[in-house]
Amino acid sequence: MTRIFVAGMVSALALATSATADIKIAHVYGKTGPYEAYAKQSHDGLMMGLEYATGGTMEIDGEKIVVLEKDTQLKPENGRALLEEAYGDDEVDLAVGPVSSGVALAMLPVAEEYEKILLVEPAVADSITGENWNRYIFRTGRNSSQDAVSNAIALAGENVHIATLAQDYAFGRDGIAAFKDALEGTGTDVAHEEYVPTDTTDFTAAAERIFNAMKDLDGKKKLFVIWAGGGNPMGKVNAMDPGRFGIEIASGGNILAALKGWKEFDGMEGATYYYYDIPKNPVNDWLVKEHMDRFGTPPDFFTAGGMAAGIAVVEAIKKAGGTDTEDLIAAMEGMEWETPKGTMRFRPEDHQAMQSMYHFKIRVDPEVEWAIPELVRELGIDDLPIPVRNQ
């Protein structure tokens, strides 16, 4: 009699647990370290995306969403270990992150080993959905090629010479490689490349090499800077007066804190992933209003990306009817969903999110504390020939 009673209790408990099972998501990201500002935006956006997509309930089909935060401190070995912990000990259904491309590359094999999805946001390197990709990797963030192709459209032209300056790791190297590929056939050449350590503060030597390589060239001359985190070299290089050699500085978009240092670059052109005032759609309207109400500032570059990831998670689980990995993969390949940037679509071949980018021209308004990336042209999914690199 006792055994029957105990067995009945165990069965009832199992049913109760099953009925109230949580959907567990790990956010594995560099919460502390040089990219702390990016990380906070990404997490705020992720939580707002989950909220928006669930209508404020933070539940999917009655199951509560639980987000576990894990801080990589921007160390690849930490990213790998924490993702193993999330999949193994915490038994999360899927993971989102990280901020750094170098950390992401260390995490990719873990997703394959545990056969669980890693939704990459916002790490950028092409190799994440390229040569190092596996079928458990999806990415809502833009990749290096999307940055590169959009900036090539914005900057290229006949008899234009471009030098590049980037950080010497996956983000910088992949970004410049993709940019060079995108310039092929445009009449524009890359005249010189410079790569410097991520913690560089003195750019004198690199700038002098760039100036020497470009000073005697005829035609339009531009220095294209790819930089993540603090220590952006644009102001320091500009203080060395590249204009005396006819060299203009150019760059892709950046967070609002960085744009505060761009007020000396009135008229500069490039292409950006996001600026809060550019997209016109209901999701972005909600994000801008709610972010202003909650934080007193507009949403930033990586807030939009985090929100896109949060919405993607909810839409995928709804479409799959649960959190089984194989069902999620089937649901997500080719899936379209609405984000602050408009429609995104996971490309089936490499699970990269196809998305709009924005050709901008900097406008300086004395009443605004940052330089404004004013829209020249939205570059839609069909305008951007993004190569598949995982074949």
Side-chain angles (χ1 to χ4, degrees), residues 345-372:
R345 179 193 310 135
F346 281 128
R347 184 164 57 183
E349 294 89 341
D350 60 358
H351 302 171
Q352 173 63 47
M354 299 291 99
Q355 56 196 279
S356 291
M357 300 289 282
Y358 308 103
H359 176 184
F360 69 81
K361 185 174 185 177
I362 291 295
R363 178 173 65 85
V364 175
D365 182 341
E367 302 300 315
V368 179
E369 60 182 309
W370 52 78
I372 300 167

Side-chain angles (χ1 to χ4, degrees), residues 37-56:
Y38 298 177
K40 183 182 187 309
Q41 292 175 25
S42 185
H43 187 71
D44 288 344
L46 174 65
M47 300 307 291
M48 293 180 80
L50 294 171
E51 177 187 344
Y52 179 86
T54 60

Side-chain angles (χ1 to χ4, degrees), residues 161-163 189-192 206-223 240-248:
H161 308 284
I162 300 179
D189 67 283
V190 173
H192 186 78
E208 289 294 347
R209 288 190 292 270
I210 291 167
F211 296 165
N212 288 333
M214 299 192 79
K215 63 183 181 181
D216 295 326
L217 298 176
D218 294 325
K220 199 162 190 177
K221 295 177 277 193
K222 299 179 181 181
L223 169 57
M240 299 172 66
D241 193 16
R244 62 198 156 113
F245 303 114
I247 300 170
E248 302 173 6

Side-chain angles (χ1 to χ4, degrees), residues 8-9 68 85 88 119 132 135 182 198 202 211 237 240 293 334:
M9 284 187 65
L68 307 179
E85 178 183 85
L119 182 59
N132 295 100
R135 65 189 296 268
T198 57
D202 185 353
F211 296 165
V237 174
M240 299 172 66
D293 289 348

Side-chain angles (χ1 to χ4, degrees), residues 30 71 125 135 138 152 165 201 206 229 232 299 326 330 335 351 361 366 375:
D71 183 8
R135 65 189 296 268
F138 287 78
L165 174 60
T201 57
N232 193 304
E326 290 303 319
M335 184 180 86
H351 302 171
K361 185 174 185 177
L375 182 66

Side-chain angles (χ1 to χ4, degrees), residues 74-370:
L74 291 185
K75 297 176 181 177
E77 64 273 19
N78 288 359
R80 182 181 180 91
L82 290 170
L83 190 58
E84 289 174 343
E85 178 183 85
Y87 290 146
D89 298 343
D90 300 323
E91 297 183 339
V92 301
D93 296 297
L94 60 107
V96 179
V99 176
S100 161
S101 293
V103 177
L105 291 171
M107 291 167 61
L108 303 187
V110 180
E112 187 170 35
E113 178 184 349
Y114 283 84
E115 299 182 343
K116 291 285 184 86
I117 285 173
L118 172 61
L119 182 59
V120 176
E121 172 67 49
V124 178
D126 267 348
S127 47
I128 293 166
T129 43
E131 62 189 72
N132 295 100
W133 176 85
N134 63 68
R135 65 189 296 268
Y136 302 97
I137 306 306
F138 287 78
R139 174 160 49 189
T140 49
R142 90 283 188 199
N143 64 14
S144 293
S145 287
Q146 285 165 316
D147 274 348
V149 171
S150 57
N151 275 286
I153 291 171
L155 301 177
E158 287 295 331
N159 202 26
V160 174
H161 308 284
I162 300 179
T164 62
L165 174 60
Q167 289 154 308
D168 194 6
Y169 80 115
F171 168 67
R173 292 276 178 179
D174 280 17
I176 297 303
F179 184 62
K180 289 170 67 178
D181 286 349
L183 288 175
E184 288 184 8
T186 64
T188 299
D189 67 283
V190 173
H192 186 78
E193 299 170 45
E194 281 289 333
Y195 300 93
V196 297
T198 57
D199 58 354
T200 300
T201 57
D202 185 353
F203 298 93
T204 305
E208 289 294 347
R209 288 190 292 270
I210 291 167
F211 296 165
N212 288 333
M214 299 192 79
K215 63 183 181 181
D216 295 326
L217 298 176
D218 294 325
K220 199 162 190 177
K221 295 177 277 193
K222 299 179 181 181
L223 169 57
F224 180 56
V225 179
I226 293 182
W227 199 266
N232 193 304
M234 290 170 56
K236 290 183 178 181
V237 174
N238 200 45
M240 299 172 66
D241 193 16
R244 62 198 156 113
F245 303 114
I247 300 170
E248 302 173 6
I249 292 179
S251 187
N254 214 316
I255 64 173
L256 297 177
L259 294 182
K260 290 178 181 179
W262 285 23
K263 297 192 86 170
E264 60 188 288
F265 300 106
D266 192 17
M268 183 181 78
E269 293 190 54
T272 189
Y273 168 79
Y274 178 81
Y275 178 69
Y276 74 93
D277 200 37
I278 291 178
K280 307 299 180 186
N281 62 70
V283 183
N284 194 54
D285 291 346
W286 183 90
L287 173 59
V288 172
K289 180 182 182 304
E290 289 297 319
H291 202 277
M292 287 295 298
D293 289 348
R294 298 177 194 190
F295 302 104
T297 62
D300 214 335
F301 211 80
F302 297 103
T303 322
M307 187 174 184
I311 297 172
V313 167
V314 175
E315 293 303 315
I317 293 172
K318 286 180 178 177
K319 187 178 177 185
T323 57
D324 175 79
T325 298
E326 290 303 319
D327 291 343
L328 284 171
I329 291 173
M332 292 170 77
E333 289 185 339
M335 184 180 86
E336 291 189 354
W337 75 105
E338 295 306 311
T339 80
K341 297 178 60 181
T343 303
M344 287 190 186
R345 179 193 310 135
F346 281 128
R347 184 164 57 183
E349 294 89 341
D350 60 358
H351 302 171
Q352 173 63 47
M354 299 291 99
Q355 56 196 279
S356 291
M357 300 289 282
Y358 308 103
H359 176 184
F360 69 81
K361 185 174 185 177
I362 291 295
R363 178 173 65 85
V364 175
D365 182 341
E367 302 300 315
V368 179
E369 60 182 309
W370 52 78

